[in-house]
Amino acid sequence: MPAPVPFDPQEIVDAKYEERPTREGVTTKRMICAACDIACSVVGEVQKGRVTKIRSSDNPIFKDNICMKGIVAPKGLAHPNRILHPLKRVGERGSGKFEQVTWEEAMGDIGGRLKKIIAEYGPEAWAVSTSQWNTSTDHGLGRRVMNHVGSPNWISGVALCAGNTAAVNRFTYGWFPFGDFSSTNCIVLMGHNPRRHSWTPLYNSIRSAQARGAKLIVMDPRRSSSAERADIWLPLKAGSDAAMMFGWLKVIIDEELYDKEFVANWTLGFEDLKERVNEYPLERVAELTGCDPEMIAEAARVYATSGPSIIPWTPITDMQRNSTSGIRLQTILRSICGYVDVPGGELLQGFNPDIVNESTVEMHHVLSDEQKLKQLGSKDHPAFTYRGQLAFREPTQRVYGQEYANLVTGCHMATPSETFRAMAGEGEYPVKAFFFLGNNPLMSYANMPLIHKAMMNQDLIVSHEQFMTPSAQLADYILPADSWLERPWIHDMFGWMSTIRFSEKAMDPPGDCKSTFEFWKQIAGALDMPEVVPWDTIEDFYDYRVAGTGKSFADLISDTEVYFKKPAFKTYEKTGFATPSGKVELKSSLLEELGFDPLPYFREDPPHDKDYPQKMFTGVREDPYFQTGHRHIPEMRARCPEPQIYLNEKTAKAAGVAEGDWVSVENQLGSVKAILAVKDAMPDDLVRVPHGWWKPEMKQGNGSLSGAWDYSDAQLCRDDPDYLDHEQGIPHLKGIPCRVVPLAAEGPAKAASNAQHMEPAE
Amino acid sequence: MSVEQKKVRKKERSARLAIWMAARSSRNKTFLDRLCRKMITKATAVDPTKDFMRDDFVDNDQGFDPDELDRYQRGETAVVGQQ
Ligand code: SF4
């Protein structure tokens, strides 16, 4: 996401601006970085036909939005192990052996085999996993092809990270807001910890806001660097976000700090909410969260009275047993305090009317209702599936001008756990073909042993990838993917915000690497439906998407970096909210219709198991890496060569482990190895497990899967009912019982480093 | 229109001006574009002693040599994997 526009007309006097000079032989391209999911506007410097440098944008509204991952991208993507040609599996699945084939040969066989599977089992037997955030998009074309074929079984990592948050936000006010960092008075981070080298634009936005006087409240069990900079830090127990927000609501309602006019005119269910909130007196909340009641009350008062305030999306609340309630409680706090769709508050931007958005490209209307209802997970956990989201069609049309809004690509998708169960032969019907693009599914969802079983049970697996990931090692075909340096891109803010940006192609893709556009075009052709992707080139496709601006893609890209929609506030006064009632539904009519509690609630942890005395949280990544990527880049690996878990000294002693030891973190599902770092910034009995570890240099193929079986945190992520959110079916990753035990004989132990003791826990 | 509504509409106008200037600034072609860019640069300037965006990794970045990247890609200079 772009930095907000930190601009105050009053401050404009005598400005000076100079373009950054370029060296001889160097040309520049304006690009959008896709090395992580936050899409910084950057500049690519090109020499001798290749990108040799990525630097931050010259545009002051995007300035200094760049991190180490973006800077090393030219080297990371020039790695000698990059997959440059289509590969076909040789030997049994997981043999780790492949032979080079052509795209034509691959597509001929893939098309034939996929058609056979569809004929035998039905179109729903084809599942696709991707993450448009990570791959710099497949433009909605994947879902478009699937919708035409008749398969609803598309899954993505956004099922437990932002996409689900967006889908659940709709239940309250019909859209997913984005905080107006540029003029907010108070920012609340719930476990989120953006840093200079991780979610860089957010870090810059938060610090800019603080520099002009905005308050920062951080809820985090760890003393993170954001916690250190906060005005108030609430060190809550991992996984207790929803309980904490009940405490805030109790204070805000009891002390009448809410926006009475907005509540009276624009919300439904306030009295019911009040009753539910009364079940959470501060003493109970203090017990559930482990925080001091006075501090809880103080934080609630600051949030409610500083206004307008914002609660940005966090990749924490969307990964919990109480995720739906937690996200709903965020939406309720925003609403009753009157912070929705106001300057400095939470903006409901809607679509940019001049651009064909990805929700439109996806063509959800062509998928029959019968197929929609077959979507895996929609029976038991419907919140973000078609079943859960269909009632938004009319309200979304009324407010935003079209029926389907796939915000952050997280609406209308299948639930991952149910999809993998079906793939493993344990579901309501079989799934026998699995495609994944720019995605390492084995390690990106909960319950890796199940995912492995699921993949081993497939008739056809196709991967579109840049590197030989553990998941790709199990594929029948690996098709070589281009990178963000090697193609143009329209970035539509994940279908969520109205700002559109453009990225130039800076170099040719190496070898036979092709874009996701090409991939889906060829798949449509292989399935005898070329008319589904009718454009000859990606540029033609983009011309179609931007035609409403009155310009071609080439004109736009040469003219500007960003295409805005005019800002507007409180538009609900004209259109109502995009909910069935047109109001903010504090008590959700749709959740009630789906058979769930229409009000938020808090499920406490299952009974304590004495064999697993610690609790772990995962999903955390180190600055040099994004998700499961980047471990192949020497410059990044040197900064963080091994996976590290964090414990405080007391917990480490109790577990019989010491700084620098190799340890094993175990629970009922599996175990992973890591080096222990002792951090006083960690609370007692909490274990930080890093996300996405494997080692590209280790042995490929089943058995090792390049170290995935040693290090991948997905082996510890449970998806049994106690550890799933009811409404969404997503796993609880913040507070899983575990134990840490010493692990002898694993590599040279690192020397203890006292320097780490006082650092924050990142 | 209530006082509250008036305040919101005023902020809306100010946000529209800001967005218009940001859009001009992004074009950076005409005199007006450049003027907008200069104004925004000034408005977003951070005191160098408190500049939280400064960072050695970013500031010292020299990029890569194209020929070295070629050799690296061919595996001639790569340390494949690590260590
Ligand atoms: S934060 Fe870093 S990796 Fe992510 S988009 Fe920005 S420059 Fe790229």
Side-chain angles (χ1 to χ4, degrees), chain A residues 6-7 11-13 15 17 19 48 50 52-53 58-59 63-64 71 78-81 196-197 203-204 343 558-559 562 564 567-569 573 631 634 637, chain B residues 9 11-12 15-16 18-19 21 26-29 37-39 41-44 52-55 57-58 61 63-64 67 69-70 72-73 78 80-82:
Chain A
F7 167 71
E11 291 182 30
I12 302 168
V13 269
Y17 177 76
E19 284 278 1
K48 298 188 179 173
R50 71 183 311 149
T52 53
K53 181 173 175 175
D58 291 320
N59 188 333
K63 70 177 177 182
D64 289 320
I71 287 171
H79 195 280
N81 288 1
R196 182 64 187 83
H197 288 281
Y203 165 89
N204 287 342
S558 74
D559 202 37
V562 55
F564 293 107
F569 303 114
E573 288 180 343
R631 269 94 180 160
R637 194 64 181 281
Chain B
R9 295 307 158 217
K11 285 256 189 185
E12 194 169 76
R16 282 185 183 183
I19 292 290
M21 290 185 68
S26 287
R27 280 169 35 112
N28 200 28
K29 289 198 163 149
R37 183 171 276 226
K38 284 181 179 184
M39 289 169 160
T41 303
K42 167 74 179 167
T44 56
F52 48 82
M53 298 186 198
R54 291 275 65 81
D55 178 90
F57 200 102
V58 176
D61 176 41
F64 301 92
D67 301 322
L69 275 184
D70 270 345
Y72 179 72
Q73 189 156 17
V80 179
Q82 321 317 310

Coordinates of all heavy atoms in Angstrom, one line a residue, chain A residues 6-7 11-13 15 17 19 48 50 52-53 58-59 63-64 71 78-81 196-197 203-204 343 558-559 562 564 567-569 573 631 634 637, chain B residues 9 11-12 15-16 18-19 21 26-29 37-39 41-44 52-55 57-58 61 63-64 67 69-70 72-73 78 80-82:
Chain A
P6 N 1.0 12.6 3.3 CA 1.2 13.4 4.5 C 1.4 14.9 4.1 O 2.5 15.4 4.0 CB 2.5 12.8 5.1 CG 3.2 12.2 3.9 CD 2.3 12.0 2.8
F7 N 0.3 15.5 4.0 CA 0.4 16.8 3.3 C -0.5 17.8 4.0 O -1.7 17.5 4.3 CB -0.1 16.6 1.8 CG -0.4 17.9 1.1 CD1 0.7 18.7 0.8 CD2 -1.7 18.2 0.8 CE1 0.4 19.9 0.1 CE2 -1.9 19.4 0.2 CZ -0.9 20.2 -0.2
E11 N 1.8 24.2 5.1 CA 3.2 24.1 5.3 C 4.0 24.4 4.0 O 5.2 24.3 4.0 CB 3.6 22.7 5.8 CG 3.2 22.5 7.2 CD 3.6 21.1 7.7 OE1 4.6 20.6 7.2 OE2 2.9 20.5 8.5
I12 N 3.3 24.8 3.0 CA 4.0 24.9 1.7 C 4.6 26.3 1.5 O 3.9 27.3 1.4 CB 3.0 24.7 0.5 CG1 2.3 23.3 0.7 CG2 3.6 24.8 -0.8 CD1 1.2 23.1 -0.2
V13 N 5.9 26.3 1.6 CA 6.6 27.6 1.3 C 8.0 27.2 0.7 O 8.6 26.3 1.2 CB 6.8 28.4 2.6 CG1 5.7 29.4 2.7 CG2 7.0 27.6 3.8
A15 N 9.7 25.6 -1.4 CA 10.2 24.2 -1.5 C 11.3 24.1 -2.6 O 11.3 24.9 -3.5 CB 9.1 23.3 -1.8
Y17 N 13.2 21.1 -5.0 CA 13.2 19.7 -5.4 C 14.2 19.4 -6.5 O 14.2 20.2 -7.4 CB 11.8 19.2 -5.8 CG 11.8 17.8 -6.3 CD1 11.9 16.8 -5.3 CD2 11.9 17.5 -7.6 CE1 12.0 15.5 -5.7 CE2 12.0 16.2 -8.0 CZ 12.0 15.2 -7.0 OH 12.2 13.9 -7.4
E19 N 15.7 16.2 -9.0 CA 15.6 14.8 -9.4 C 16.9 14.2 -9.1 O 18.0 14.8 -9.1 CB 15.5 14.8 -11.0 CG 14.2 15.1 -11.5 CD 13.2 13.9 -11.5 OE1 13.6 12.8 -11.0 OE2 12.1 14.1 -11.9
K48 N 22.8 -2.4 -19.3 CA 23.0 -3.5 -20.2 C 21.8 -4.5 -20.2 O 22.0 -5.7 -20.1 CB 24.3 -4.3 -19.8 CG 25.5 -3.4 -20.0 CD 26.8 -4.3 -19.7 CE 28.0 -3.4 -19.9 NZ 29.2 -4.2 -19.5
R50 N 19.7 -5.3 -17.9 CA 19.2 -5.9 -16.7 C 19.1 -4.9 -15.6 O 19.8 -3.9 -15.5 CB 20.0 -7.1 -16.4 CG 21.4 -6.8 -15.9 CD 22.2 -8.1 -15.7 NE 21.4 -9.0 -14.9 CZ 21.4 -10.3 -15.0 NH1 22.2 -10.9 -15.9 NH2 20.7 -11.1 -14.2
T52 N 20.0 -3.5 -12.2 CA 21.1 -3.6 -11.4 C 20.9 -3.0 -10.0 O 21.7 -3.1 -9.1 CB 22.4 -3.0 -12.1 OG1 22.1 -1.7 -12.4 CG2 22.8 -3.8 -13.3
K53 N 19.9 -2.2 -10.0 CA 19.7 -1.5 -8.7 C 18.2 -1.2 -8.5 O 17.5 -0.8 -9.4 CB 20.5 -0.2 -8.6 CG 20.3 0.5 -7.3 CD 21.3 1.7 -7.2 CE 21.0 2.5 -6.0 NZ 21.9 3.6 -5.8
D58 N 11.5 8.6 -6.5 CA 11.8 10.0 -6.5 C 10.6 10.8 -6.1 O 10.7 12.0 -5.8 CB 12.2 10.5 -7.9 CG 13.6 9.9 -8.2 OD1 14.5 9.9 -7.4 OD2 13.7 9.5 -9.4
N59 N 9.4 10.2 -6.0 CA 8.2 10.9 -5.8 C 8.1 11.1 -4.2 O 8.1 10.2 -3.5 CB 7.0 10.0 -6.2 CG 5.7 10.7 -6.2 OD1 5.5 11.6 -5.4 ND2 4.8 10.3 -7.0
K63 N 8.4 8.6 -0.7 CA 9.8 8.6 -0.5 C 10.3 7.6 0.6 O 9.6 7.4 1.6 CB 10.3 10.0 -0.2 CG 9.8 10.5 1.2 CD 10.4 11.9 1.4 CE 9.9 12.4 2.7 NZ 10.3 13.8 3.0
D64 N 11.4 7.1 0.4 CA 12.1 6.1 1.3 C 11.3 4.9 1.7 O 11.5 4.3 2.7 CB 12.5 6.9 2.6 CG 13.7 7.8 2.4 OD1 14.6 7.4 1.6 OD2 13.7 9.0 2.9
I71 N 15.9 -4.0 -2.1 CA 17.3 -3.6 -2.6 C 18.0 -4.8 -3.2 O 18.7 -4.7 -4.2 CB 18.1 -2.9 -1.5 CG1 17.5 -1.5 -1.2 CG2 19.6 -2.9 -1.8 CD1 18.0 -0.8 0.0
A78 N 18.4 -13.1 -9.9 CA 19.4 -13.5 -10.8 C 20.1 -14.8 -10.3 O 21.1 -15.3 -10.8 CB 20.5 -12.5 -11.1
H79 N 19.6 -15.4 -9.3 CA 20.2 -16.6 -8.6 C 20.3 -17.7 -9.6 O 19.4 -18.0 -10.4 CB 19.4 -17.0 -7.4 CG 20.1 -17.9 -6.5 ND1 20.2 -19.3 -6.8 CD2 20.7 -17.7 -5.4 CE1 20.9 -19.8 -5.8 NE2 21.2 -18.9 -4.9
P80 N 21.5 -18.4 -9.6 CA 21.7 -19.5 -10.6 C 20.7 -20.6 -10.4 O 20.6 -21.4 -11.4 CB 23.1 -19.9 -10.3 CG 23.5 -19.3 -9.0 CD 22.7 -18.1 -8.8
N81 N 20.1 -20.7 -9.3 CA 19.1 -21.8 -9.1 C 17.7 -21.5 -9.6 O 16.8 -22.3 -9.4 CB 19.0 -22.3 -7.7 CG 20.3 -23.0 -7.3 OD1 21.2 -23.2 -8.1 ND2 20.4 -23.5 -6.0
R196 N 11.5 -0.7 9.9 CA 12.1 -0.1 8.8 C 12.3 -1.0 7.6 O 12.3 -0.6 6.5 CB 13.5 0.5 9.3 CG 14.2 1.3 8.2 CD 13.5 2.5 7.8 NE 14.1 3.2 6.6 CZ 13.9 2.8 5.4 NH1 13.1 1.8 5.1 NH2 14.4 3.5 4.4
H197 N 12.5 -2.3 8.0 CA 12.7 -3.3 6.9 C 11.6 -4.3 6.8 O 11.8 -5.5 6.3 CB 14.1 -4.0 7.1 CG 15.2 -3.1 6.7 ND1 15.6 -2.8 5.4 CD2 16.0 -2.3 7.5 CE1 16.6 -2.0 5.5 NE2 16.9 -1.6 6.7
Y203 N 5.5 1.4 8.6 CA 6.4 1.9 9.6 C 6.6 3.4 9.4 O 6.5 4.2 10.4 CB 7.8 1.2 9.4 CG 8.9 1.8 10.2 CD1 9.2 1.5 11.5 CD2 9.7 2.8 9.5 CE1 10.3 2.1 12.1 CE2 10.8 3.3 10.1 CZ 11.1 3.0 11.4 OH 12.2 3.6 12.1
N204 N 6.8 3.9 8.2 CA 7.0 5.3 7.9 C 5.8 6.1 8.2 O 5.8 7.2 8.8 CB 7.4 5.5 6.4 CG 8.9 5.1 6.2 OD1 9.6 4.9 7.1 ND2 9.2 4.8 4.9
P343 N -12.4 12.0 8.0 CA -11.0 12.3 7.9 C -10.3 11.9 9.2 O -10.8 12.1 10.3 CB -11.0 13.8 7.8 CG -12.4 14.2 7.3 CD -13.3 13.1 7.9
S558 N 3.5 6.3 -18.8 CA 4.5 7.3 -19.1 C 4.1 8.6 -18.4 O 4.9 9.5 -18.2 CB 4.7 7.5 -20.6 OG 3.6 8.2 -21.1
D559 N 2.8 8.7 -18.1 CA 2.3 10.0 -17.6 C 2.4 10.1 -16.0 O 2.6 11.2 -15.5 CB 0.8 10.1 -18.0 CG 0.4 11.5 -18.0 OD1 1.2 12.4 -18.4 OD2 -0.8 11.8 -17.7
V562 N 0.6 7.1 -10.3 CA -0.6 6.8 -9.5 C -1.8 7.5 -10.0 O -1.7 8.6 -10.5 CB -0.2 7.3 -8.0 CG1 0.2 8.7 -7.9 CG2 -1.4 7.0 -7.0
F564 N -5.5 8.5 -8.8 CA -6.4 8.6 -7.7 C -7.9 8.7 -8.1 O -8.2 9.2 -9.1 CB -6.1 9.8 -6.9 CG -4.7 9.8 -6.2 CD1 -3.7 10.6 -6.7 CD2 -4.5 9.1 -5.1 CE1 -2.4 10.6 -6.1 CE2 -3.2 9.1 -4.5 CZ -2.2 9.9 -5.0
P567 N -11.2 11.9 -3.2 CA -11.6 11.5 -1.9 C -12.9 12.0 -1.5 O -13.3 13.1 -1.9 CB -10.5 12.1 -1.0 CG -9.9 13.2 -1.7 CD -10.1 12.9 -3.2
A568 N -13.6 11.2 -0.7 CA -14.9 11.7 -0.2 C -15.2 11.0 1.1 O -14.7 9.9 1.3 CB -16.1 11.3 -1.2
F569 N -15.8 11.7 2.0 CA -16.0 11.2 3.4 C -17.5 11.1 3.6 O -18.3 11.8 3.0 CB -15.4 12.1 4.4 CG -13.9 12.3 4.2 CD1 -13.4 13.6 3.9 CD2 -13.1 11.3 4.3 CE1 -12.1 13.8 3.7 CE2 -11.7 11.4 4.2 CZ -11.2 12.7 3.8
E573 N -23.9 8.7 4.0 CA -25.1 9.6 4.2 C -25.9 9.6 2.9 O -27.1 9.8 3.0 CB -24.6 11.0 4.5 CG -24.0 11.1 6.0 CD -23.6 12.4 6.4 OE1 -23.3 13.3 5.5 OE2 -23.4 12.7 7.6
R631 N 15.4 -17.2 1.3 CA 16.5 -17.8 2.0 C 17.6 -18.2 1.1 O 18.7 -18.6 1.5 CB 16.0 -19.1 2.7 CG 15.5 -18.9 4.2 CD 14.2 -18.7 4.2 NE 13.6 -18.5 5.6 CZ 12.4 -17.9 5.7 NH1 11.7 -17.4 4.7 NH2 11.9 -17.7 6.9
P634 N 22.3 -14.8 -0.7 CA 23.4 -14.8 0.3 C 23.4 -13.6 1.2 O 23.6 -13.7 2.4 CB 24.7 -14.8 -0.6 CG 24.2 -15.4 -1.9 CD 22.8 -15.0 -2.0
R637 N 20.7 -14.2 3.8 CA 20.9 -15.3 4.6 C 22.0 -15.0 5.6 O 22.0 -15.5 6.8 CB 21.3 -16.5 3.7 CG 21.2 -17.8 4.4 CD 19.8 -18.2 4.9 NE 20.0 -19.5 5.5 CZ 20.0 -20.7 4.9 NH1 19.9 -20.6 3.5 NH2 20.2 -21.8 5.5
Chain B
R9 N -16.9 18.5 5.4 CA -16.8 18.9 4.0 C -15.5 19.7 3.7 O -14.9 19.7 2.7 CB -18.0 19.7 3.6 CG -19.3 18.9 3.6 CD -19.2 17.6 2.8 NE -20.2 16.6 3.2 CZ -20.1 15.3 3.2 NH1 -18.9 14.8 2.9 NH2 -21.0 14.5 3.7
K11 N -12.7 19.4 5.4 CA -11.6 18.4 5.3 C -11.6 17.7 4.0 O -10.5 17.4 3.4 CB -11.7 17.4 6.4 CG -11.4 17.9 7.8 CD -10.0 17.4 8.2 CE -9.8 17.7 9.7 NZ -8.4 17.3 10.0
E12 N -12.8 17.4 3.5 CA -12.9 16.8 2.2 C -12.3 17.6 1.1 O -11.5 17.1 0.2 CB -14.4 16.5 1.9 CG -14.6 15.5 0.8 CD -16.0 15.1 0.7 OE1 -16.9 15.9 0.2 OE2 -16.4 14.0 1.2
A15 N -8.6 17.5 1.4 CA -8.1 16.2 1.0 C -8.0 16.1 -0.6 O -7.1 15.6 -1.2 CB -8.9 15.0 1.5
R16 N -9.1 16.7 -1.2 CA -9.1 16.7 -2.7 C -8.0 17.6 -3.2 O -7.3 17.2 -4.2 CB -10.4 17.3 -3.1 CG -11.5 16.3 -3.0 CD -12.8 16.7 -3.6 NE -13.8 15.6 -3.3 CZ -15.0 15.6 -3.7 NH1 -15.5 16.6 -4.4 NH2 -15.8 14.6 -3.4
A18 N -5.1 18.0 -1.7 CA -3.9 17.3 -1.5 C -3.7 16.2 -2.5 O -2.7 16.0 -3.1 CB -3.9 16.7 -0.1
I19 N -4.8 15.5 -2.8 CA -4.8 14.4 -3.8 C -4.5 15.0 -5.2 O -3.7 14.4 -6.0 CB -6.1 13.6 -3.8 CG1 -6.2 12.8 -2.5 CG2 -6.2 12.7 -5.0 CD1 -5.3 11.7 -2.3
M21 N -2.8 17.6 -5.8 CA -1.4 18.0 -5.9 C -0.5 16.8 -6.0 O 0.5 16.8 -6.7 CB -1.0 18.8 -4.6 CG -1.6 20.2 -4.6 SD -1.1 21.2 -3.3 CE 0.6 21.4 -3.6
S26 N 3.1 13.5 -9.2 CA 3.5 12.2 -9.7 C 3.7 12.3 -11.2 O 4.5 11.5 -11.8 CB 2.4 11.1 -9.5 OG 2.4 10.8 -8.1
R27 N 3.0 13.2 -11.9 CA 3.3 13.4 -13.3 C 4.6 14.0 -13.6 O 5.4 13.6 -14.4 CB 2.2 14.3 -13.9 CG 0.9 13.7 -14.2 CD -0.1 14.7 -14.6 NE 0.4 15.8 -15.3 CZ 0.1 16.1 -16.6 NH1 -0.7 15.3 -17.3 NH2 0.7 17.1 -17.2
N28 N 4.9 15.1 -12.8 CA 6.3 15.7 -12.8 C 6.7 16.1 -14.3 O 7.8 15.8 -14.7 CB 7.3 14.7 -12.2 CG 8.6 15.4 -11.8 OD1 8.5 16.6 -11.5 ND2 9.7 14.7 -11.9
K29 N 5.8 16.7 -15.0 CA 6.1 17.0 -16.4 C 6.1 18.6 -16.6 O 7.0 19.1 -17.2 CB 5.1 16.4 -17.4 CG 5.4 14.9 -17.4 CD 4.8 14.2 -18.6 CE 5.4 12.9 -18.8 NZ 4.6 11.9 -19.4
R37 N 5.2 19.2 -6.8 CA 6.2 18.2 -6.2 C 7.1 18.9 -5.2 O 7.4 18.4 -4.1 CB 7.1 17.6 -7.3 CG 8.0 16.6 -6.8 CD 8.7 15.9 -8.0 NE 7.9 14.8 -8.5 CZ 8.3 13.6 -8.7 NH1 9.6 13.3 -8.6 NH2 7.5 12.6 -9.1
K38 N 7.5 20.2 -5.5 CA 8.3 20.9 -4.6 C 7.6 21.2 -3.3 O 8.1 21.1 -2.2 CB 8.8 22.2 -5.2 CG 9.9 22.0 -6.2 CD 10.4 23.3 -6.8 CE 11.5 23.0 -7.8 NZ 12.1 24.2 -8.4
M39 N 6.4 21.5 -3.4 CA 5.6 21.8 -2.2 C 5.4 20.6 -1.3 O 5.5 20.7 -0.1 CB 4.2 22.4 -2.6 CG 4.2 23.7 -3.2 SD 2.6 24.1 -4.0 CE 2.7 25.9 -4.0
T41 N 7.3 18.0 -1.3 CA 8.6 17.6 -0.7 C 8.9 18.5 0.5 O 9.3 17.9 1.6 CB 9.7 17.9 -1.7 OG1 9.4 17.1 -2.9 CG2 11.1 17.5 -1.2
K42 N 8.6 19.7 0.4 CA 8.8 20.6 1.6 C 7.9 20.2 2.7 O 8.3 20.1 3.9 CB 8.5 22.1 1.1 CG 8.3 23.1 2.2 CD 9.7 23.4 2.8 CE 9.5 24.4 3.9 NZ 10.7 24.6 4.7
A43 N 6.6 19.9 2.4 CA 5.7 19.6 3.5 C 6.0 18.3 4.2 O 5.6 18.1 5.3 CB 4.3 19.6 2.9
T44 N 6.7 17.4 3.5 CA 7.0 16.1 4.1 C 8.4 16.0 4.6 O 8.8 14.9 5.0 CB 6.7 15.0 3.1 OG1 7.5 15.2 1.9 CG2 5.3 14.9 2.6
F52 N 13.6 9.1 10.8 CA 13.5 7.7 11.1 C 13.6 6.9 9.8 O 13.6 5.6 9.8 CB 12.1 7.4 11.8 CG 11.0 8.1 11.1 CD1 10.4 7.5 10.0 CD2 10.5 9.3 11.6 CE1 9.3 8.2 9.4 CE2 9.5 10.0 11.0 CZ 8.9 9.4 9.9
M53 N 13.6 7.5 8.6 CA 13.6 6.7 7.4 C 15.1 6.4 7.0 O 15.3 5.6 6.1 CB 12.9 7.5 6.3 CG 11.5 7.7 6.5 SD 10.7 8.5 5.1 CE 9.2 9.1 5.8
R54 N 16.0 7.2 7.6 CA 17.4 6.9 7.2 C 17.8 5.5 7.7 O 17.4 5.1 8.7 CB 18.4 8.0 7.9 CG 18.2 9.4 7.4 CD 19.0 9.6 6.1 NE 18.7 8.9 4.9 CZ 17.7 9.2 4.1 NH1 16.9 10.2 4.3 NH2 17.4 8.5 3.1
D55 N 18.7 4.9 6.9 CA 19.1 3.5 7.2 C 20.3 3.2 6.4 O 20.3 3.4 5.2 CB 17.9 2.6 6.8 CG 18.3 1.2 7.1 OD1 18.0 0.7 8.2 OD2 18.8 0.5 6.2
F57 N 21.6 0.4 5.3 CA 21.4 -0.5 4.2 C 20.8 0.2 3.0 O 21.2 0.0 1.8 CB 20.5 -1.6 4.6 CG 20.6 -2.9 3.8 CD1 21.3 -4.0 4.2 CD2 20.0 -2.9 2.5 CE1 21.4 -5.1 3.4 CE2 20.1 -4.1 1.7 CZ 20.8 -5.2 2.2
V58 N 19.9 1.1 3.2 CA 19.3 1.9 2.1 C 20.3 2.9 1.6 O 20.5 3.1 0.4 CB 18.0 2.5 2.6 CG1 17.4 3.4 1.5 CG2 17.0 1.5 3.0
D61 N 23.4 1.7 -0.5 CA 23.2 0.8 -1.6 C 23.8 1.4 -2.9 O 23.4 2.4 -3.3 CB 21.7 0.6 -1.7 CG 21.4 -0.3 -2.9 OD1 22.2 -1.2 -3.1 OD2 20.5 0.0 -3.7
G63 N 23.9 -0.8 -5.5 CA 23.4 -1.7 -6.6 C 24.4 -2.7 -7.0 O 25.4 -2.9 -6.3
F64 N 24.2 -3.4 -8.1 CA 25.1 -4.5 -8.5 C 25.7 -4.2 -9.9 O 25.1 -3.4 -10.7 CB 24.3 -5.8 -8.6 CG 23.6 -6.2 -7.3 CD1 22.3 -5.8 -6.9 CD2 24.3 -6.9 -6.4 CE1 21.8 -6.1 -5.7 CE2 23.8 -7.3 -5.1 CZ 22.5 -6.9 -4.8
D67 N 27.7 -7.0 -15.2 CA 28.5 -8.2 -15.6 C 28.6 -9.2 -14.5 O 28.6 -10.4 -14.8 CB 29.9 -7.7 -16.1 CG 29.7 -6.7 -17.3 OD1 28.8 -7.0 -18.1 OD2 30.5 -5.8 -17.3
L69 N 26.4 -9.6 -12.2 CA 25.1 -10.3 -12.1 C 25.0 -11.4 -13.1 O 24.5 -12.5 -12.9 CB 24.0 -9.3 -12.2 CG 23.6 -8.6 -11.0 CD1 22.3 -7.7 -11.3 CD2 23.2 -9.5 -9.8
D70 N 25.5 -11.1 -14.3 CA 25.5 -12.1 -15.4 C 26.3 -13.4 -15.0 O 25.8 -14.5 -15.1 CB 26.2 -11.6 -16.7 CG 25.2 -10.9 -17.6 OD1 23.9 -11.1 -17.3 OD2 25.6 -10.1 -18.5
Y72 N 27.1 -14.3 -12.0 CA 26.4 -14.9 -10.9 C 25.2 -15.8 -11.4 O 25.1 -16.9 -11.0 CB 25.8 -13.8 -10.0 CG 25.0 -14.2 -8.8 CD1 25.7 -14.8 -7.7 CD2 23.7 -14.1 -8.7 CE1 25.0 -15.2 -6.6 CE2 22.9 -14.5 -7.6 CZ 23.6 -15.1 -6.6 OH 22.9 -15.5 -5.5
Q73 N 24.5 -15.2 -12.3 CA 23.3 -16.0 -12.9 C 23.8 -17.3 -13.6 O 23.1 -18.3 -13.5 CB 22.5 -15.1 -13.8 CG 21.2 -15.7 -14.2 CD 20.2 -14.7 -14.7 OE1 20.5 -13.6 -15.0 NE2 18.9 -15.1 -14.7
A78 N 28.6 -17.9 -8.0 CA 27.6 -18.1 -7.0 C 28.1 -19.0 -5.9 O 28.8 -20.0 -6.1 CB 26.3 -18.7 -7.6
V80 N 26.2 -21.3 -4.1 CA 24.8 -21.9 -4.2 C 24.4 -22.3 -2.8 O 25.1 -23.0 -2.1 CB 24.8 -23.0 -5.2 CG1 23.3 -23.6 -5.3 CG2 25.2 -22.6 -6.6
G81 N 23.2 -21.9 -2.5 CA 22.8 -22.0 -1.1 C 23.6 -21.1 -0.3 O 24.1 -20.1 -0.7
Q82 N 23.9 -21.5 0.9 CA 24.7 -20.6 1.8 C 25.9 -21.3 2.4 O 26.0 -22.5 2.3 CB 23.9 -20.0 2.9 CG 22.5 -19.7 2.6 CD 22.3 -18.9 1.3 OE1 23.0 -18.0 1.1 NE2 21.4 -19.4 0.5

